[in-house]
Amino acid sequence: MRVAFAIFKFFPHGGTARDLSKIVSTCRERGHDVRIYALVWEGARLPGVETVVMPTRGVRGHVRQRRFAAQVADHIATHPVDLVVGMNKMPGLDVYYAADSCFEDKARTQRPWAYRLSSRYRHYAEFEHAVFGEHSRTRILTIAPGQDAVFKGVYRTLAYRFHSLPPGIERDRRVASPEAGRALRSEFGVTDTDILLLFVGSGFVKKGLDRVLRGVAALPCPVRDRVRLVVVGDDKEARFQRLARRLRIDARVRFVGGRDDVAAWLQAADALALPAYDEAAGMVILEAAGAGVPVVATANCGYAAFLSEAKAGIVTPVPFDQARFNADLERLLTADERALMSRRGRELAADESLYAMAPRAVEVLETVAGGREPAVVSFCALDYSKTDPKYRSLLPIAEACRRRGMNVQVFVADWRGPRPEGVDVVVVPATAVGRNRRRARRREWVAKSLRSTLPGPVVGFDALGGISIRFGWELYPEPDNAKTGRASHQENSRREFSGRPRSGRVLDGLPPGLGRAPTPPGKSREAMRAEFGFGEREVVLAMAAGDLASRGLERLIVAIGRLPDALRRRCAVLAAGRPGLRLGGAERLLELDRRLRCDSDLSPLDAIEAADAFVDLPFHGTSDEGRYGRSSNGWIFDALAAGRPVLTHAAVSESGLVRSARAGIVLDSPFRQDQLNRALAKLLGSPDGRARWSANAAESASRREHFGQAEKVAAAIEQHARGRSFHAASLPA
């Protein structure tokens, strides 16, 4: 593998430069050819590595960086490599080592609005967007727990592009002898009764040296008189020396510059402080803890989480409060628990994973360069609604693909509620006056996003052009708009698809929702009925659909209106989804008021759990033969699994499950209202019949053959991702 690294400034005491040296060394050990591009290089060159220093002209730093990035791109064009890795953010990277935090987040939260008008802001925002933007293909190596969350929040970066690295602390930071530490204390006049407080870092402003100085000045006199603060690092000292003089602690502060003997200083120190304003990792935190030095750090330091978990120091919370830090610093320097912190820090250093950053990073680079990354499966469900039976199988199949090691992204137009773990939910932006125009723009946006995504299967739950696998959208026909004379959106999509190669497999005839056994809601049936205001004597009918009108809500209301008074007053409807019709007149006519509940945010499983029966009477128009077109509702199976009788008609695919289980009533197709009226009266007026149907439903739905379809579909998708054809045996019956 030929790999090129790009870094703005290489200087020996910088954390990013040290990490680069470790990664390069591991690459060399594995036989890879390495080239390093640098804008500025200080110190000795790395042995066995081609180093290209490209100094550029420019008064301002961001101008020089922009010119440097252009020169790197030009040089790589004439001297190609297999992989380009950036230690700083810039365009054209295959992999970025995330040593810096999110610039855009800081610009929004820590800077005045006028800052975003500057050329400096535009430069850094553009370079960061080139790495993290939605349509970028750059992989990101994160170096601290939770570091990716901020970038995802700002840029909606897909999860599969992030690769988490373990810490990479250096073992030699623990090998200095106690004698070396005592020699340093003696050299700088630190007695055995003094407290040597250490600050290590190049970047005094960013790492919070001013906070340390104020913390030392605020210590009680008996403690402050014993403290000696030693500052190790390369940076401009003048402003901090002036601050120390103003605080009248300048006699207790020594600036010793960048040092190669940090290990000896850790042996000499009694404590270390790193109250950073912004710190992606904070390697010195773990190095100090491993050397047995108690540490106080702010929670925004990436490695502070390890310190907190090991209880090897004190983590000051953010937002930062100087008074709180002052108290934490005093506690660190005087508390009896210092010895326990020291011991726990040494125990933490015994964890071998703390030294594994470089090998893991090189493994990721080899995987990316070799094209061996897991496939990305893209699900297109632009009209997704969690209550719509059309999408009942979406998440079970997506999660099954994730369990098989594939990366998964789901394109939707809207999403409410928590997002499934490990699945990227991509909300597609689109603004337009007309509905069809919005849909067209969403399709265009998805097509652009797919071009920047790793190659992999595209599974369409909607009729969408260019997909490789269609998931049975023929089961869900949409009526044409006869009044306007315009074809439906689905028909337009069919025409668009018909003009493309039809090599994709159609996964139709599958019963949506037949994945793993449904997970019951967290609340009991009694608690849910009480929450919705239903009494024990009421018979609650559940429905679930994205558009309840299309699943027969109006038909059900008419049937309820024709029930005998005694039954009607005991009947209630709990529907998960949008009503799709105006219900005011029905409520007054049938006296339903509180007993008719429609909520698009309600989980269908919650509605089923609170109900006594499930009803699905879809209306999609008629086919040329005069019979109702095929339809499907996976929530019927969930109702059966929960032991709820079902009332539906024969045009619904799952009606066969109801018939074979003898778990409800299946009306003839085509639909007749009078037949529904009689069936509803029978369902409500026969408690013994409902109990029998309920037992049959639970027994039938518990059979093993009803489960595992999601895993089989995921296996078929995996076959497609590997370039293999589908086999009938691999798909659900």
Side-chain angles (χ1 to χ4, degrees):
M1 176 178 70
R2 295 171 300 171
V3 56
F5 294 88
I7 185 170
F8 291 153
K9 183 178 181 180
F10 185 100
F11 61 107
H13 303 116
T16 303
R18 288 167 50 200
D19 290 346
L20 173 59
S21 299
K22 287 179 279 190
I23 295 174
V24 167
S25 176
T26 305
C27 285
R28 295 286 298 146
E29 291 172 2
R30 298 195 180 194
H32 303 308
D33 294 328
V34 178
R35 182 189 307 156
I36 299 178
Y37 296 99
L39 175 61
V40 177
W41 190 283
E42 297 178 4
R45 304 287 177 93
L46 302 182
V49 176
E50 179 188 357
T51 304
V52 182
V53 180
M54 294 179 167
T56 59
R57 300 177 62 183
V59 176
R60 309 185 70 180
H62 67 270
V63 174
R64 294 192 295 272
Q65 292 173 11
R66 181 175 294 274
R67 292 172 178 171
F68 168 73
Q71 289 183 13
V72 169
D74 291 342
H75 192 274
I76 290 177
T78 56
H79 302 79
V81 293
D82 298 316
L83 207 65
V84 181
V85 182
M87 306 304 288
N88 302 101
K89 303 163 191 168
M90 65 180 70
L93 301 180
D94 297 305
V95 179
Y96 165 62
Y97 181 84
D100 294 321
S101 54
C102 181
F103 169 81
E104 184 65 34
D105 180 68
K106 290 186 291 184
R108 294 179 184 180
T109 60
Q110 300 177 18
R111 299 277 188 166
W113 66 268
Y115 174 72
R116 295 196 289 277
L117 302 177
S118 66
S119 60
R120 183 180 188 276
Y121 164 78
R122 290 194 296 271
H123 163 78
Y124 284 109
E126 178 186 336
F127 271 37
E128 186 169 86
H129 188 272
V131 174
F132 292 96
E134 292 172 310
H135 301 309
S136 170
R137 296 187 65 171
T138 303
R139 311 302 183 270
I140 301 111
L141 305 178
T142 58
I143 60 176
Q147 188 184 8
D148 57 340
V150 177
F151 291 107
K152 289 177 182 177
V154 174
Y155 292 102
R156 305 199 307 175
T157 313
L158 298 179
Y160 82 86
R161 291 173 52 198
F162 291 93
H163 298 270
S164 178
L165 300 181
I169 64 176
E170 299 173 23
R171 296 180 187 274
D172 61 5
R173 294 300 171 100
R174 295 192 298 141
V175 299
S177 65
E179 290 76 15
R182 286 194 291 270
L184 277 176
R185 290 177 72 103
S186 176
E187 179 184 347
F188 286 87
V190 182
T191 67
D192 292 341
T193 59
D194 289 335
I195 301 173
L196 197 162
L197 176 62
L198 195 62
F199 176 93
V200 179
S202 297
F204 296 161
V205 175
K206 179 179 176 181
K207 296 183 186 295
L209 178 55
D210 62 322
R211 293 173 171 178
V212 179
L213 294 173
R214 292 187 175 93
V216 171
L219 290 170
C221 288
V223 180
R224 186 176 66 240
D225 292 344
R226 296 173 53 205
V227 170
R228 300 292 183 270
L229 173 62
V230 174
V231 180
V232 180
D234 284 324
D235 205 352
K236 298 177 181 178
E237 307 171 2
R239 61 177 288 191
F240 298 97
Q241 290 173 337
R242 290 194 297 269
L243 177 59
R245 284 195 295 270
R246 287 200 304 270
L247 296 172
R248 298 183 179 180
I249 59 170
D250 52 303
R252 307 187 182 283
V253 181
R254 291 288 300 270
F255 291 84
V256 299
R259 307 273 301 206
D260 293 324
D261 57 349
V262 174
W265 278 109
L266 292 176
Q267 288 295 326
D270 297 295
L272 180 136
L274 189 69
Y277 285 85
D278 174 54
E279 182 61 71
M283 189 73 71
V284 71
I285 293 174
L286 297 181
E287 293 173 343
V293 180
V295 179
V296 59
T298 42
N300 57 340
C301 296
Y303 292 150
F306 291 93
L307 188 71
S308 178
E309 183 177 352
K311 297 180 180 179
I314 301 173
V315 177
T316 299
V318 289
F320 180 82
D321 178 71
Q322 185 68 50
R324 171 64 184 270
F325 173 74
N326 296 346
D328 287 341
L329 181 60
E330 180 183 354
R331 175 186 160 199
L332 183 79
L333 300 179
T334 62
D336 294 337
E337 59 187 320
R338 285 170 38 80
L340 182 59
M341 292 179 185
S342 177
R343 179 171 61 81
R344 288 171 174 165
R346 295 181 189 278
E347 292 172 353
L348 174 64
D351 185 354
E352 288 298 318
S353 67
L354 299 182
Y355 310 93
M357 181 275 292
R360 171 59 183 150
V362 176
E363 288 174 4
V364 174
L365 300 185
E366 292 170 340
T367 300
V368 174
R372 300 192 302 272
E373 294 175 272
V376 177
V377 182
S378 303
F379 291 89
C380 295
L382 296 181
D383 294 325
Y384 173 80
S385 168
K386 69 178 181 180
T387 59
D388 194 334
K390 177 179 179 178
Y391 302 104
R392 176 63 184 87
S393 292
L394 173 62
L395 289 185
I397 294 174
E399 291 169 346
C401 289
R402 189 73 187 93
R403 289 192 295 272
R404 298 184 75 88
M406 291 177 274
N407 296 305
V408 178
Q409 59 181 351
V410 179
F411 293 101
V412 295
D414 186 31
W415 187 273
R416 299 180 183 181
R419 303 193 176 195
E421 184 177 356
V423 175
D424 278 317
V425 177
V426 183
V427 179
V428 179
T431 55
V433 176
R435 183 184 180 191
N436 286 343
R437 184 57 183 158
R438 285 196 299 273
R439 283 174 161 169
R441 289 185 176 178
R442 288 191 181 106
R443 292 199 299 272
E444 292 168 2
W445 193 95
V446 170
K448 181 179 179 181
S449 180
L450 290 175
R451 285 195 294 270
S452 62
T453 301
L454 284 174
V458 181
V459 183
F461 273 72
D462 299 312
L464 186 69
I467 57 181
S468 52
I469 302 174
R470 294 174 291 147
F471 192 92
W473 43 259
E474 292 89 346
L475 298 179
Y476 304 91
E478 296 180 1
D480 290 348
N481 190 335
K483 292 183 179 180
T484 63
R486 291 181 298 178
S488 68
H489 161 68
Q490 184 168 20
E491 183 62 29
N492 290 334
S493 297
R494 288 175 188 269
R495 291 169 183 166
E496 177 186 357
F497 189 87
S498 64
R500 299 172 183 261
R502 299 196 59 150
S503 58
R505 171 72 192 216
V506 180
L507 300 179
D508 56 3
L510 302 180
L514 302 191
R516 294 178 296 172
T519 304
K523 297 180 182 179
S524 67
R525 180 172 182 271
E526 293 74 17
M528 287 188 174
R529 289 177 73 95
E531 180 179 330
F532 295 120
F534 299 135
E536 282 301 316
R537 287 179 50 80
E538 289 179 297
V539 181
V540 180
L541 305 176
M543 297 187 73
D547 180 4
L548 293 166
S550 69
R551 307 304 297 192
L553 176 59
E554 187 175 10
R555 294 170 170 176
L556 178 61
I557 290 175
V558 171
I560 293 174
R562 295 176 182 174
L563 289 170
D565 289 347
L567 287 180
R568 188 176 70 247
R569 294 192 182 99
R570 292 177 52 205
C571 183
V573 178
L574 181 59
R578 300 185 308 274
L581 50 86
R582 303 179 69 176
L583 299 175
E587 293 181 3
R588 291 192 299 272
L589 177 65
L590 305 178
E591 301 176 357
L592 287 175
D593 51 29
R594 67 172 181 83
R595 291 183 286 117
L596 176 57
R597 302 283 296 274
C598 299
D599 187 350
S600 59
D601 291 328
L602 176 63
S603 165
L605 292 179
D606 288 351
I608 290 169
E609 185 70 14
D612 297 283
F614 187 83
V615 178
D616 186 55
L617 307 162
F619 175 73
H620 288 303
T622 58
S623 64
D624 295 338
E625 291 80 11
R627 297 177 299 175
Y628 277 85
R630 296 170 62 199
S631 180
S632 184
N633 190 339
W635 302 117
I636 288 179
F637 175 77
D638 294 310
L640 296 175
R644 305 295 183 262
V646 175
L647 172 58
T648 186
H649 66 61
V652 179
S653 298
E654 286 78 10
S655 62
L657 291 174
V658 180
R659 275 203 180 105
S660 62
R662 298 181 180 179
I665 301 174
V666 178
L667 307 178
D668 295 332
S669 180
F671 170 83
R672 295 199 307 273
Q673 183 68 45
D674 59 336
Q675 189 182 22
L676 170 61
N677 300 342
R678 293 191 298 272
L680 184 62
K682 179 180 179 182
L683 177 68
L684 299 179
S686 176
D688 292 340
R690 288 202 307 274
R692 183 174 63 255
W693 288 331
S694 177
N696 291 344
E699 190 278 330
S700 174
S702 65
R703 297 173 186 167
R704 296 179 62 88
E705 63 265 21
H706 289 308
F707 302 103
Q709 279 82 349
E711 295 292 341
K712 292 179 181 179
V713 173
I717 293 173
E718 186 178 34
Q719 282 186 343
H720 183 88
R722 294 177 177 177
R724 301 174 184 174
S725 60
F726 287 101
H727 300 286
S730 68
L731 297 175

